[in-house]
Protein backbone atom coordinates (compact mmCIF):
# COMPACT_ATOMS: atom_id res chain seq x y z
CA UNK A 1 0.00 0.00 0.00
CA UNK A 2 2.90 2.35 0.72
CA UNK A 3 4.08 2.00 -2.88
CA UNK A 4 0.56 2.75 -4.12
CA UNK A 5 0.42 5.94 -2.07
CA UNK A 6 3.75 7.06 -3.56
CA UNK A 7 2.40 6.28 -7.03
CA UNK A 8 -0.72 8.37 -6.37
CA UNK A 9 1.32 11.38 -5.24
CA UNK A 10 3.39 11.13 -8.43
CA UNK A 11 0.22 11.05 -10.52
CA UNK A 12 -1.12 14.20 -8.87
CA UNK A 13 2.11 16.14 -9.28
CA UNK A 14 2.38 15.11 -12.92
CA UNK A 15 -1.22 16.07 -13.62
CA UNK A 16 -0.72 19.56 -12.27
CA UNK A 17 2.01 20.09 -14.81
CA UNK A 18 -0.39 19.25 -17.62
CA UNK A 19 -3.41 21.19 -16.50
CA UNK A 20 -1.91 24.51 -15.49
CA UNK A 21 0.51 25.36 -18.24
CA UNK A 22 0.50 29.10 -18.86
CA UNK A 23 -0.48 30.53 -22.27
CA UNK A 24 3.02 31.97 -22.76
CA UNK A 25 4.38 28.44 -22.98
CA UNK A 26 2.44 27.83 -26.20
CA UNK A 27 4.60 29.25 -28.96
CA UNK A 28 2.92 31.75 -31.31
CA UNK A 29 -0.49 31.35 -29.65
CA UNK A 30 -2.23 33.39 -26.99
CA UNK A 31 -5.73 34.09 -25.95
CA UNK A 32 -5.24 37.78 -26.64
CA UNK A 33 -4.48 37.06 -30.30
CA UNK A 34 -7.47 34.74 -30.66
CA UNK A 35 -9.77 37.35 -29.13
CA UNK A 36 -8.54 40.12 -31.41
CA UNK A 37 -10.53 41.01 -34.52
CA UNK A 38 -8.11 42.33 -37.14
CA UNK A 39 -8.84 45.36 -39.26
CA UNK A 40 -9.72 44.95 -42.94
CA UNK A 41 -6.93 45.20 -45.47
CA UNK A 42 -9.11 47.38 -47.72
CA UNK A 43 -9.52 51.13 -47.04
CA UNK A 44 -11.99 51.79 -44.21
CA UNK A 45 -14.37 54.61 -45.13
CA UNK A 46 -17.81 53.24 -44.39
CA UNK A 47 -20.48 54.72 -42.07
CA UNK A 48 -20.16 54.58 -38.29
CA UNK A 49 -21.69 51.24 -37.23
CA UNK A 50 -21.40 51.73 -33.48
CA UNK A 51 -25.15 51.89 -32.82
CA UNK A 52 -25.83 48.82 -34.93
CA UNK A 53 -23.05 46.83 -33.23
CA UNK A 54 -24.05 48.01 -29.76
CA UNK A 55 -27.69 47.02 -30.20
CA UNK A 56 -26.85 43.73 -31.88
CA UNK A 57 -24.28 42.58 -29.32
CA UNK A 58 -26.22 43.62 -26.24
CA UNK A 59 -29.08 41.35 -27.27
CA UNK A 60 -26.64 38.47 -26.81
CA UNK A 61 -24.27 39.53 -24.03
CA UNK A 62 -23.62 42.15 -21.40
CA UNK A 63 -21.10 44.11 -23.47
CA UNK A 64 -19.11 47.18 -22.56
CA UNK A 65 -17.38 49.16 -25.33
CA UNK A 66 -14.15 50.87 -24.30
CA UNK A 67 -12.17 53.15 -26.60
CA UNK A 68 -8.48 52.24 -26.63
CA UNK A 69 -6.35 54.76 -28.53
CA UNK A 70 -3.31 52.52 -28.05
CA UNK A 71 -4.87 49.77 -30.14
CA UNK A 72 -2.68 49.28 -33.27
CA UNK A 73 -4.27 50.15 -36.60
CA UNK A 74 -4.14 46.53 -37.73
CA UNK A 75 -6.40 45.58 -34.81
CA UNK A 76 -10.03 46.68 -34.91
CA UNK A 77 -11.33 45.07 -31.71
CA UNK A 78 -10.01 43.19 -28.70
CA UNK A 79 -12.44 41.17 -26.59
CA UNK A 80 -11.95 40.31 -22.95
CA UNK A 81 -14.28 38.18 -20.84
CA UNK A 82 -14.37 39.42 -17.25
CA UNK A 83 -16.26 39.02 -14.00
CA UNK A 84 -16.72 42.31 -12.18
CA UNK A 85 -14.81 42.04 -8.87
CA UNK A 86 -17.50 43.98 -6.99
CA UNK A 87 -20.83 43.03 -8.57
CA UNK A 88 -19.70 39.62 -9.94
CA UNK A 89 -21.48 40.48 -13.19
CA UNK A 90 -20.34 38.52 -16.26
CA UNK A 91 -19.23 41.09 -18.79
CA UNK A 92 -17.55 41.27 -22.20
CA UNK A 93 -15.22 44.23 -22.50
CA UNK A 94 -14.74 45.18 -26.15
CA UNK A 95 -11.85 47.55 -26.84
CA UNK A 96 -11.92 49.55 -30.10
CA UNK A 97 -9.81 52.12 -31.94
CA UNK A 98 -10.70 55.36 -33.77
CA UNK A 99 -11.64 53.66 -37.05
CA UNK A 100 -13.02 50.34 -35.78
CA UNK A 101 -16.73 51.03 -36.26
CA UNK A 102 -16.20 52.23 -39.82
CA UNK A 103 -14.82 48.78 -40.73
CA UNK A 104 -17.91 46.74 -41.61
CA UNK A 105 -15.98 43.51 -42.15
CA UNK A 106 -14.38 43.78 -38.71
CA UNK A 107 -17.71 44.66 -37.09
CA UNK A 108 -19.35 41.63 -38.70
CA UNK A 109 -16.41 39.48 -37.54
CA UNK A 110 -16.94 40.77 -34.00
CA UNK A 111 -20.64 39.95 -34.14
CA UNK A 112 -20.00 36.49 -35.58
CA UNK A 113 -17.42 35.54 -32.93
CA UNK A 114 -19.54 36.93 -30.09
CA UNK A 115 -22.59 35.06 -31.35
CA UNK A 116 -20.64 31.81 -31.57
CA UNK A 117 -19.28 32.11 -28.03
CA UNK A 118 -22.70 32.94 -26.62
CA UNK A 119 -24.85 30.19 -28.11
CA UNK A 120 -24.20 26.53 -28.68
CA UNK A 121 -26.23 23.61 -29.94
CA UNK A 122 -26.93 22.29 -26.46
CA UNK A 123 -26.22 25.15 -24.06
CA UNK A 124 -27.69 28.53 -24.96
CA UNK A 125 -25.86 30.45 -22.29
CA UNK A 126 -22.65 32.39 -21.81
CA UNK A 127 -21.47 30.34 -18.79
CA UNK A 128 -19.88 27.46 -20.75
CA UNK A 129 -17.74 29.94 -22.66
CA UNK A 130 -16.54 31.56 -19.45
CA UNK A 131 -15.53 28.11 -18.27
CA UNK A 132 -13.65 27.52 -21.52
CA UNK A 133 -12.10 31.01 -21.35
CA UNK A 134 -10.93 30.26 -17.79
CA UNK A 135 -9.24 27.13 -19.14
CA UNK A 136 -7.74 28.92 -22.13
CA UNK A 137 -6.26 31.61 -19.88
CA UNK A 138 -4.32 28.82 -18.20
CA UNK A 139 -3.03 27.44 -21.47
CA UNK A 140 -5.48 24.58 -21.97
CA UNK A 141 -4.76 23.66 -25.57
CA UNK A 142 -8.19 22.20 -26.40
CA UNK A 143 -9.92 25.35 -25.15
CA UNK A 144 -7.66 27.56 -27.25
CA UNK A 145 -8.28 25.35 -30.29
CA UNK A 146 -12.05 25.47 -29.75
CA UNK A 147 -12.04 29.26 -29.68
CA UNK A 148 -10.03 29.43 -32.92
CA UNK A 149 -12.54 27.15 -34.64
CA UNK A 150 -15.48 29.16 -33.30
CA UNK A 151 -14.01 32.51 -34.31
CA UNK A 152 -14.63 32.25 -38.05
CA UNK A 153 -17.25 29.49 -38.05
CA UNK A 154 -20.68 30.03 -39.66
CA UNK A 155 -23.47 31.49 -37.55
CA UNK A 156 -24.04 28.68 -35.06
CA UNK A 157 -27.83 29.22 -35.17
CA UNK A 158 -27.95 29.14 -38.99
CA UNK A 159 -24.92 27.07 -40.09
CA UNK A 160 -26.06 26.81 -43.71
CA UNK A 161 -26.63 30.52 -44.16
CA UNK A 162 -23.76 32.52 -45.63
CA UNK A 163 -23.59 35.87 -43.87
CA UNK A 164 -21.87 39.12 -44.82
CA UNK A 165 -18.79 38.29 -42.79
CA UNK A 166 -18.19 35.01 -44.65
CA UNK A 167 -18.72 36.72 -48.01
CA UNK A 168 -16.32 39.58 -47.24
CA UNK A 169 -13.09 39.87 -49.29
CA UNK A 170 -10.84 39.32 -46.31
CA UNK A 171 -12.66 36.31 -44.80
CA UNK A 172 -10.40 33.63 -46.32
CA UNK A 173 -7.26 35.46 -45.20
CA UNK A 174 -8.63 35.75 -41.66
CA UNK A 175 -9.21 32.00 -41.50
CA UNK A 176 -5.71 31.28 -42.78
CA UNK A 177 -4.12 33.71 -40.33
CA UNK A 178 -6.02 32.40 -37.29
CA UNK A 179 -5.43 28.78 -38.26
CA UNK A 180 -1.65 29.33 -38.17
CA UNK A 181 -1.89 28.74 -34.43
CA UNK A 182 -3.45 25.31 -34.82
CA UNK A 183 -0.33 23.18 -35.61
CA UNK A 184 1.39 24.22 -32.35
CA UNK A 185 -1.79 23.53 -30.39
CA UNK A 186 -2.32 20.16 -32.11
CA UNK A 187 1.25 19.19 -31.20
CA UNK A 188 0.65 20.12 -27.58
CA UNK A 189 -2.64 18.22 -27.51
CA UNK A 190 -0.92 15.15 -28.90
CA UNK A 191 1.86 15.42 -26.32
CA UNK A 192 -0.61 15.85 -23.47
CA UNK A 193 -2.76 12.96 -24.67
CA UNK A 194 0.29 10.69 -24.52
CA UNK A 195 1.04 11.83 -20.97
CA UNK A 196 -2.59 11.41 -19.99
CA UNK A 197 -2.65 7.87 -21.33
CA UNK A 198 0.38 6.95 -19.22
CA UNK A 199 -1.01 8.62 -16.10
CA UNK A 200 -4.41 6.98 -16.58
CA UNK A 201 -2.75 3.56 -16.70
CA UNK A 202 -0.85 4.32 -13.47
CA UNK A 203 -3.99 5.54 -11.72
CA UNK A 204 -5.90 2.43 -12.74
CA UNK A 205 -3.16 0.27 -11.25
CA UNK A 206 -3.74 2.08 -7.96
CA UNK A 207 -7.52 1.93 -7.94
CA UNK A 208 -7.58 -1.77 -8.90
CA UNK A 209 -6.30 -2.40 -5.36
CA UNK A 210 -8.70 0.10 -3.81
CA UNK A 211 -11.67 -1.61 -5.50
CA UNK A 212 -11.01 -4.72 -3.40
CA UNK A 213 -10.50 -3.15 0.03
CA UNK A 214 -12.54 -4.65 2.89
CA UNK A 215 -16.02 -3.31 3.60
CA UNK A 216 -14.95 -0.93 6.37
CA UNK A 217 -12.65 0.83 3.87
CA UNK A 218 -15.32 1.18 1.19
CA UNK A 219 -16.73 4.66 0.54
CA UNK A 220 -20.22 3.91 1.88
CA UNK A 221 -18.83 2.69 5.22
CA UNK A 222 -16.44 5.63 5.46
CA UNK A 223 -19.30 8.09 4.97
CA UNK A 224 -21.55 6.19 7.39
CA UNK A 225 -19.02 6.75 10.16
CA UNK A 226 -18.58 10.40 9.15
CA UNK A 227 -14.88 10.25 8.29
CA UNK A 228 -14.67 13.19 5.89
CA UNK A 229 -10.89 13.19 5.57
CA UNK A 230 -10.72 9.53 4.58
CA UNK A 231 -13.63 9.97 2.14
CA UNK A 232 -11.98 12.97 0.45
CA UNK A 233 -8.65 11.17 0.12
CA UNK A 234 -10.35 8.12 -1.40
CA UNK A 235 -12.29 10.18 -3.95
CA UNK A 236 -9.08 11.99 -4.95
CA UNK A 237 -7.49 8.69 -5.89
CA UNK A 238 -10.31 7.80 -8.27
CA UNK A 239 -10.73 11.16 -9.96
CA UNK A 240 -9.23 11.31 -13.49
CA UNK A 241 -7.15 14.43 -12.77
CA UNK A 242 -4.96 13.86 -15.80
CA UNK A 243 -7.97 14.24 -18.12
CA UNK A 244 -9.35 17.42 -16.58
CA UNK A 245 -9.23 20.99 -17.80
CA UNK A 246 -8.21 23.60 -15.16
CA UNK A 247 -11.79 24.64 -14.31
CA UNK A 248 -12.86 21.08 -13.54
CA UNK A 249 -9.66 20.56 -11.55
CA UNK A 250 -10.43 23.73 -9.59
CA UNK A 251 -13.93 22.48 -8.83
CA UNK A 252 -12.83 19.14 -7.39
CA UNK A 253 -9.85 20.55 -5.49
CA UNK A 254 -11.93 23.19 -3.74
CA UNK A 255 -14.93 20.90 -3.29
CA UNK A 256 -12.98 18.13 -1.61
CA UNK A 257 -11.12 20.60 0.58
CA UNK A 258 -14.41 22.03 1.87
CA UNK A 259 -16.00 18.59 2.12
CA UNK A 260 -13.14 17.52 4.37
CA UNK A 261 -13.24 20.71 6.46
CA UNK A 262 -16.80 22.09 6.34
CA UNK A 263 -18.08 25.10 8.22
CA UNK A 264 -19.65 24.41 11.64
CA UNK A 265 -23.43 23.93 11.70
CA UNK A 266 -24.08 27.52 12.73
CA UNK A 267 -22.40 28.77 9.51
CA UNK A 268 -24.36 26.49 7.17
CA UNK A 269 -27.55 27.02 5.17
CA UNK A 270 -30.79 25.06 5.14
CA UNK A 271 -31.85 23.14 2.02
CA UNK A 272 -34.41 20.48 1.13
CA UNK A 273 -34.47 17.45 -1.12
CA UNK A 274 -37.50 15.61 -2.44
CA UNK A 275 -36.23 12.08 -1.95
CA UNK A 276 -38.78 9.76 -3.56
CA UNK A 277 -36.89 6.79 -5.00
CA UNK A 278 -33.67 7.64 -3.15
CA UNK A 279 -32.07 4.93 -1.08
CA UNK A 280 -31.70 5.97 2.57
CA UNK A 281 -28.26 5.08 3.91
CA UNK A 282 -27.98 4.91 7.69
CA UNK A 283 -25.23 6.33 9.85
CA UNK A 284 -22.92 3.72 11.33
CA UNK A 285 -24.57 1.58 14.00
CA UNK A 286 -28.14 2.67 13.22
CA UNK A 287 -31.01 0.76 11.71
CA UNK A 288 -32.92 2.44 8.90
CA UNK A 289 -35.80 3.15 11.30
CA UNK A 290 -33.49 4.77 13.85
CA UNK A 291 -31.70 6.78 11.13
CA UNK A 292 -35.03 8.16 9.90
CA UNK A 293 -36.21 9.00 13.40
CA UNK A 294 -32.94 10.63 14.47
CA UNK A 295 -32.22 12.32 11.13
CA UNK A 296 -28.84 10.61 10.87
CA UNK A 297 -28.82 9.26 7.35
CA UNK A 298 -27.20 10.18 4.06
CA UNK A 299 -27.91 10.13 0.36
CA UNK A 300 -25.66 9.38 -2.59
CA UNK A 301 -25.93 10.47 -6.22
CA UNK A 302 -27.19 8.09 -8.92
CA UNK A 303 -23.62 7.80 -10.21
CA UNK A 304 -23.03 5.78 -7.05
CA UNK A 305 -26.39 4.11 -6.41
CA UNK A 306 -27.34 3.15 -9.99
CA UNK A 307 -24.16 1.21 -10.44
CA UNK A 308 -22.59 -2.15 -9.69
CA UNK A 309 -19.56 -3.51 -7.92
CA UNK A 310 -18.00 -2.45 -4.63
CA UNK A 311 -18.69 1.07 -3.38
CA UNK A 312 -15.14 2.04 -4.19
CA UNK A 313 -15.29 0.56 -7.67
CA UNK A 314 -18.38 2.65 -8.41
CA UNK A 315 -16.16 5.72 -8.16
CA UNK A 316 -14.64 4.67 -11.50
CA UNK A 317 -17.76 6.26 -13.00
CA UNK A 318 -16.15 9.65 -12.32
CA UNK A 319 -14.14 8.83 -15.44
CA UNK A 320 -16.54 6.71 -17.48
CA UNK A 321 -19.25 9.39 -17.19
CA UNK A 322 -17.23 11.42 -19.70
CA UNK A 323 -18.42 9.07 -22.46
CA UNK A 324 -22.00 8.76 -21.18
CA UNK A 325 -24.96 11.02 -21.90
CA UNK A 326 -24.38 12.92 -18.64
CA UNK A 327 -20.95 14.12 -19.81
CA UNK A 328 -21.49 14.75 -23.52
CA UNK A 329 -22.51 17.79 -25.56
CA UNK A 330 -23.70 18.19 -29.14
CA UNK A 331 -20.45 19.90 -30.18
CA UNK A 332 -18.41 16.76 -29.50
CA UNK A 333 -15.69 15.41 -27.20
CA UNK A 334 -13.17 18.26 -27.52
CA UNK A 335 -15.79 20.85 -26.66
CA UNK A 336 -17.15 18.75 -23.78
CA UNK A 337 -13.68 18.48 -22.24
CA UNK A 338 -13.30 22.27 -22.27
CA UNK A 339 -16.73 22.92 -20.69
CA UNK A 340 -17.05 19.79 -18.57
CA UNK A 341 -18.78 21.30 -15.53
CA UNK A 342 -21.28 23.18 -17.68
CA UNK A 343 -21.98 20.00 -19.65
CA UNK A 344 -22.63 18.05 -16.45
CA UNK A 345 -24.89 20.81 -15.11
CA UNK A 346 -26.89 20.98 -18.35
CA UNK A 347 -27.34 17.23 -18.62
CA UNK A 348 -28.19 16.84 -14.94
CA UNK A 349 -31.05 19.32 -15.36
CA UNK A 350 -32.37 17.25 -18.26
CA UNK A 351 -31.93 13.81 -16.70
CA UNK A 352 -29.95 13.20 -13.49
CA UNK A 353 -29.51 9.47 -14.16
CA UNK A 354 -25.81 8.70 -13.83
CA UNK A 355 -25.08 12.20 -12.54
CA UNK A 356 -22.36 12.79 -9.93
CA UNK A 357 -24.63 15.40 -8.31
CA UNK A 358 -27.46 15.50 -5.81
CA UNK A 359 -30.06 18.26 -6.23
CA UNK A 360 -31.30 20.53 -3.45
CA UNK A 361 -33.63 23.49 -3.23
CA UNK A 362 -34.17 26.22 -0.63
CA UNK A 363 -37.92 26.01 -1.27
CA UNK A 364 -39.82 23.31 0.58
CA UNK A 365 -42.72 23.51 -1.92
CA UNK A 366 -40.39 22.51 -4.76
CA UNK A 367 -38.99 19.68 -2.64
CA UNK A 368 -42.55 18.46 -2.06
CA UNK A 369 -43.05 18.24 -5.84
CA UNK A 370 -40.19 15.72 -5.97
CA UNK A 371 -40.97 14.19 -2.58
CA UNK A 372 -44.56 13.02 -2.42
CA UNK A 373 -43.49 10.33 0.05
CA UNK A 374 -40.13 11.41 1.46
CA UNK A 375 -38.43 14.78 2.00
CA UNK A 376 -35.15 15.49 3.78
CA UNK A 377 -33.66 18.73 5.07
CA UNK A 378 -29.94 19.42 5.39
CA UNK A 379 -27.53 21.93 6.85
CA UNK A 380 -24.88 22.34 4.16
CA UNK A 381 -21.75 24.45 3.95
CA UNK A 382 -22.75 27.04 1.30
CA UNK A 383 -19.41 26.53 -0.49
CA UNK A 384 -20.51 22.98 -1.33
CA UNK A 385 -23.71 24.11 -3.05
CA UNK A 386 -23.31 25.07 -6.69
CA UNK A 387 -26.20 26.90 -8.30
CA UNK A 388 -27.14 25.12 -11.51
CA UNK A 389 -26.87 28.11 -13.82
CA UNK A 390 -27.91 25.88 -16.73
CA UNK A 391 -30.93 24.34 -15.01
CA UNK A 392 -34.58 25.34 -14.76
CA UNK A 393 -34.64 28.71 -13.00
CA UNK A 394 -38.04 28.16 -11.34
CA UNK A 395 -36.64 25.17 -9.47
CA UNK A 396 -33.69 27.07 -7.97
CA UNK A 397 -31.59 23.93 -8.22
CA UNK A 398 -28.38 23.69 -6.22
CA UNK A 399 -25.99 20.80 -6.76
CA UNK A 400 -23.70 18.91 -4.41
CA UNK A 401 -21.26 16.22 -5.52
CA UNK A 402 -21.53 12.50 -4.83
CA UNK A 403 -22.86 12.32 -1.27
CA UNK A 404 -24.08 13.98 1.87
CA UNK A 405 -22.80 12.99 5.32
CA UNK A 406 -24.89 11.94 8.33
CA UNK A 407 -24.11 15.18 10.18
CA UNK A 408 -25.50 17.21 7.24
CA UNK A 409 -29.02 15.93 7.74
CA UNK A 410 -31.35 18.13 9.76
CA UNK A 411 -34.53 16.08 9.37
CA UNK A 412 -36.15 13.28 7.40
CA UNK A 413 -39.89 13.16 6.81
CA UNK A 414 -41.62 10.02 5.55
CA UNK A 415 -45.23 10.99 4.90
CA UNK A 416 -46.57 7.45 5.39
CA UNK A 417 -45.78 7.92 9.06
CA UNK A 418 -47.93 11.09 9.21
CA UNK A 419 -51.25 10.41 7.49
CA UNK A 420 -52.88 13.61 8.77
CA UNK A 421 -50.57 15.78 6.65
CA UNK A 422 -53.11 15.59 3.82
CA UNK A 423 -55.15 18.31 5.56
CA UNK A 424 -52.39 20.95 5.56
CA UNK A 425 -49.27 19.39 4.06
CA UNK A 426 -47.27 22.59 3.48
CA UNK A 427 -47.53 23.97 7.00
CA UNK A 428 -47.09 20.55 8.52
CA UNK A 429 -43.91 20.01 6.50
CA UNK A 430 -42.48 23.43 7.34
CA UNK A 431 -43.22 23.01 11.05
CA UNK A 432 -41.81 19.50 11.06
CA UNK A 433 -38.47 20.63 9.65
CA UNK A 434 -38.35 23.72 11.88
CA UNK A 435 -38.74 21.47 14.90
CA UNK A 436 -36.07 19.09 13.60
CA UNK A 437 -33.66 21.95 12.97
CA UNK A 438 -34.17 23.32 16.48
CA UNK A 439 -33.69 19.88 18.02
CA UNK A 440 -30.44 19.32 16.11
CA UNK A 441 -29.04 22.69 17.15
CA UNK A 442 -30.06 22.12 20.77
CA UNK A 443 -28.10 18.87 20.82
CA UNK A 444 -25.03 20.54 19.32
CA UNK A 445 -25.08 23.91 21.12
CA UNK A 446 -27.49 23.60 24.06
CA UNK A 447 -31.04 24.88 24.57
CA UNK A 448 -30.02 28.35 25.71
CA UNK A 449 -27.95 29.14 22.60
CA UNK A 450 -30.19 27.30 20.12
CA UNK A 451 -32.78 30.05 19.33
CA UNK A 452 -30.16 32.59 18.25
CA UNK A 453 -28.29 30.02 16.16
CA UNK A 454 -31.47 28.81 14.47
CA UNK A 455 -32.31 32.42 13.62
CA UNK A 456 -28.82 32.95 12.24
CA UNK A 457 -29.09 29.84 10.03
CA UNK A 458 -32.48 30.97 8.72
CA UNK A 459 -31.26 34.49 7.98
CA UNK A 460 -28.08 33.26 6.28
CA UNK A 461 -30.17 30.82 4.24
CA UNK A 462 -32.61 33.53 3.16
CA UNK A 463 -29.83 35.93 2.16
CA UNK A 464 -27.82 33.26 0.37
CA UNK A 465 -30.61 31.96 -1.83
CA UNK A 466 -32.41 35.22 -2.54
CA UNK A 467 -30.03 36.19 -5.38
CA UNK A 468 -30.96 33.13 -7.41
CA UNK A 469 -34.53 32.66 -6.23
CA UNK A 470 -36.61 35.83 -6.39
CA UNK A 471 -40.07 34.57 -5.30
CA UNK A 472 -40.92 33.95 -1.66
CA UNK A 473 -38.77 31.14 -0.32
CA UNK A 474 -41.12 28.73 1.44
CA UNK A 475 -39.44 27.00 4.36
CA UNK A 476 -36.71 29.58 4.97
CA UNK A 477 -37.74 32.24 7.47
CA UNK A 478 -37.37 35.93 6.65
CA UNK A 479 -35.91 37.57 9.76
CA UNK A 480 -35.01 41.21 9.02
CA UNK A 481 -33.99 41.88 12.60
CA UNK A 482 -31.30 39.17 12.60
CA UNK A 483 -27.83 40.38 11.54
CA UNK A 484 -25.40 37.45 11.15
CA UNK A 485 -22.90 39.39 9.02
CA UNK A 486 -20.19 40.06 11.64
CA UNK A 487 -20.14 36.37 12.59
CA UNK A 488 -19.83 35.35 8.94
CA UNK A 489 -16.93 37.75 8.42
CA UNK A 490 -15.15 36.43 11.50
CA UNK A 491 -15.42 32.82 10.35
CA UNK A 492 -14.43 33.28 6.71
CA UNK A 493 -11.69 35.81 7.38
CA UNK A 494 -10.01 33.28 9.67
CA UNK A 495 -9.79 30.62 6.95
CA UNK A 496 -6.41 29.83 5.44
CA UNK A 497 -5.14 32.07 2.67
CA UNK A 498 -6.60 31.16 -0.71
CA UNK A 499 -9.53 29.21 0.77
CA UNK A 500 -12.77 29.39 -1.18
CA UNK A 501 -15.27 31.81 0.36
CA UNK A 502 -18.88 32.54 -0.55
CA UNK A 503 -19.87 35.97 -1.76
CA UNK A 504 -20.09 38.20 1.32
CA UNK A 505 -21.73 41.62 1.38
CA UNK A 506 -19.97 44.65 2.87
CA UNK A 507 -21.39 43.86 6.31
CA UNK A 508 -20.78 40.14 5.99
CA UNK A 509 -24.23 39.08 4.77
CA UNK A 510 -24.10 35.76 2.95
CA UNK A 511 -24.90 35.86 -0.79
CA UNK A 512 -24.82 33.33 -3.61
CA UNK A 513 -22.59 33.50 -6.69
CA UNK A 514 -22.23 30.92 -9.43
CA UNK A 515 -19.20 28.66 -9.65
CA UNK A 516 -17.92 30.71 -12.62
CA UNK A 517 -18.15 33.93 -10.63
CA UNK A 518 -16.45 32.49 -7.53
CA UNK A 519 -13.62 30.79 -9.41
CA UNK A 520 -12.87 33.98 -11.31
CA UNK A 521 -12.17 35.68 -7.99
CA UNK A 522 -10.27 32.81 -6.41
Amino acid sequence: MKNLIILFSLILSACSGINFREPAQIKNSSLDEIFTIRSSKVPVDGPDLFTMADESLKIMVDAEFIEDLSLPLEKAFRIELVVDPVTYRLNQKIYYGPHSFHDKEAVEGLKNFTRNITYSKGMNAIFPYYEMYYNALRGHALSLKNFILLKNAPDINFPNRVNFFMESPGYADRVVEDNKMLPALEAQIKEENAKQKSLTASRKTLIAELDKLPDDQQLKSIIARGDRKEAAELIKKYLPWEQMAPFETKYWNTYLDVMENPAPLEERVLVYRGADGDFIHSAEGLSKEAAVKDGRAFYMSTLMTKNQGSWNRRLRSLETMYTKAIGEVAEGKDFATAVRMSALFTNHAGDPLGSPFLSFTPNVKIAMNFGRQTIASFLIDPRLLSYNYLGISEEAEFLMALTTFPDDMAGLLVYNDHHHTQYDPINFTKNFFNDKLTAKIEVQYGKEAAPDIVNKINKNSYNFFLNQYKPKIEGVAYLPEVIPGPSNLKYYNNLKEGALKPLLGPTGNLNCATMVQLFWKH
Side-chain angles (χ1 to χ4, degrees), residues 155-346:
D155 183 333
I156 205 159
N157 295 309
F158 304 98
N160 297 319
R161 185 178 73 184
V162 178
N163 57 28
F164 174 86
F165 174 60
M166 297 182 69
E167 290 183 321
S168 62
Y171 174 74
D173 288 340
R174 290 176 183 273
V175 174
V176 170
E177 191 64 29
D178 287 325
N179 286 355
K180 286 180 180 178
M181 292 182 271
L182 288 177
L185 290 171
E186 294 286 8
Q188 183 185 338
I189 292 168
K190 183 177 180 180
E191 176 188 348
E192 290 182 356
N193 285 342
K195 290 180 181 178
Q196 289 172 9
K197 187 175 181 180
S198 174
L199 289 167
T200 297
S202 298
R203 178 172 51 80
K204 288 185 174 180
T205 299
L206 166 67
I207 63 178
E209 297 296 323
L210 300 178
D211 289 347
K212 300 177 287 188
L213 289 175
D215 185 66
D216 67 336
Q217 295 178 53
Q218 294 287 323
L219 182 64
K220 180 173 173 286
S221 298
I222 293 169
I223 295 168
R225 61 176 176 265
D227 192 332
R228 290 175 173 271
K229 180 177 177 61
E230 188 175 354
E233 290 178 349
L234 179 64
I235 293 167
K236 283 179 184 177
K237 293 169 185 174
Y238 275 87
L239 280 165
W241 300 100
E242 70 280 0
Q243 299 178 38
M244 294 181 188
F247 192 90
E248 186 182 6
T249 301
K250 175 77 169 179
Y251 171 81
W252 285 109
N253 272 328
T254 54
Y255 188 91
L256 293 174
D257 181 57
V258 177
M259 188 184 87
E260 183 178 340
N261 304 287
L265 296 180
E266 65 183 285
E267 299 290 345
R268 301 188 192 182
V269 294
L270 184 67
V271 289
Y272 302 93
R273 176 173 172 82
D276 287 358
D278 287 356
F279 189 84
I280 300 172
H281 301 277
S282 305
E284 187 175 60
L286 293 181
S287 65
K288 180 179 177 180
E289 291 74 19
V292 170
K293 181 181 178 182
D294 297 346
R296 292 181 58 203
F298 61 96
Y299 289 106
M300 305 178 86
S301 72
T302 58
L303 177 140
M304 297 298 299
T305 59
K306 305 296 184 181
N307 221 320
Q308 296 181 333
S310 71
W311 287 98
N312 285 359
R313 183 176 178 82
R314 297 181 191 200
L315 286 169
R316 287 175 177 257
S317 294
L318 290 168
E319 177 184 358
T320 59
M321 70 179 179
Y322 289 168
T323 58
K324 307 293 184 182
I326 192 69
E328 295 179 336
V329 295
E331 289 81 358
K333 180 181 176 182
D334 286 358
F335 194 90
T337 300
V339 296
R340 181 71 67 196
M341 298 309 301
S342 295
L344 292 171
F345 277 26
T346 298

Side-chain angles (χ1 to χ4, degrees), residues 261-492:
N261 304 287
L265 296 180
E266 65 183 285
E267 299 290 345
R268 301 188 192 182
V269 294
L270 184 67
V271 289
Y272 302 93
R273 176 173 172 82
D276 287 358
D278 287 356
F279 189 84
I280 300 172
H281 301 277
S282 305
E284 187 175 60
L286 293 181
S287 65
K288 180 179 177 180
E289 291 74 19
V292 170
K293 181 181 178 182
D294 297 346
R296 292 181 58 203
F298 61 96
Y299 289 106
M300 305 178 86
S301 72
T302 58
L303 177 140
M304 297 298 299
T305 59
K306 305 296 184 181
N307 221 320
Q308 296 181 333
S310 71
W311 287 98
N312 285 359
R313 183 176 178 82
R314 297 181 191 200
L315 286 169
R316 287 175 177 257
S317 294
L318 290 168
E319 177 184 358
T320 59
M321 70 179 179
Y322 289 168
T323 58
K324 307 293 184 182
I326 192 69
E328 295 179 336
V329 295
E331 289 81 358
K333 180 181 176 182
D334 286 358
F335 194 90
T337 300
V339 296
R340 181 71 67 196
M341 298 309 301
S342 295
L344 292 171
F345 277 26
T346 298
N347 294 327
H348 176 97
D351 183 358
L353 184 63
S355 170
F357 302 115
L358 288 159
S359 301
F360 300 89
T361 177
N363 193 311
V364 73
K365 280 187 176 180
I366 293 173
M368 291 173 72
N369 291 338
F370 294 90
R372 303 288 182 177
Q373 299 175 332
T374 306
I375 299 179
S377 66
F378 300 85
L379 287 175
I380 303 294
D381 187 314
R383 297 169 295 169
L384 293 176
L385 292 168
S386 296
Y387 176 63
N388 189 353
Y389 44 77
L390 294 167
I392 301 170
S393 59
E394 292 80 6
E395 292 181 3
E397 182 180 51
F398 288 78
L399 304 180
M400 186 174 171
L402 293 178
T403 184
T404 63
F405 281 78
D407 71 298
D408 294 328
M409 183 169 281
L412 183 58
L413 172 59
V414 179
Y415 281 113
N416 288 342
D417 299 336
H418 304 275
H419 300 292
H420 58 285
T421 62
Q422 61 184 308
Y423 300 111
D424 190 1
I426 294 175
N427 280 328
F428 172 83
T429 302
K430 289 164 63 176
N431 292 334
F432 175 90
F433 284 120
N434 285 337
D435 291 343
K436 288 293 185 180
L437 173 62
T438 299
K440 184 178 181 74
I441 296 304
E442 285 180 349
V443 170
Q444 185 73 20
Y445 295 96
K447 286 191 175 183
E448 185 176 346
D452 286 343
I453 293 175
V454 169
N455 284 343
K456 175 187 173 181
I457 290 170
N458 276 310
K459 183 59 184 292
N460 268 339
S461 301
Y462 186 90
N463 289 344
F464 182 75
F465 294 116
L466 189 62
N467 278 357
Q468 307 296 352
Y469 194 76
K470 302 302 181 186
K472 182 180 178 184
I473 307 175
E474 295 284 355
V476 178
Y478 174 54
L479 303 166
E481 69 280 2
V482 178
I483 306 174
S487 176
N488 296 337
L489 284 174
K490 181 179 179 181
Y491 174 75
Y492 288 108

Side-chain angles (χ1 to χ4, degrees), residues 24-44:
Q25 293 175 265
I26 305 172
K27 189 176 181 180
N28 297 324
S29 41
S30 72
L31 197 60
D32 185 64
E33 185 175 350
I34 297 169
F35 274 70
T36 293
I37 307 298
R38 289 181 295 279
S39 302
S40 300
K41 293 182 179 179
V42 297
V44 176

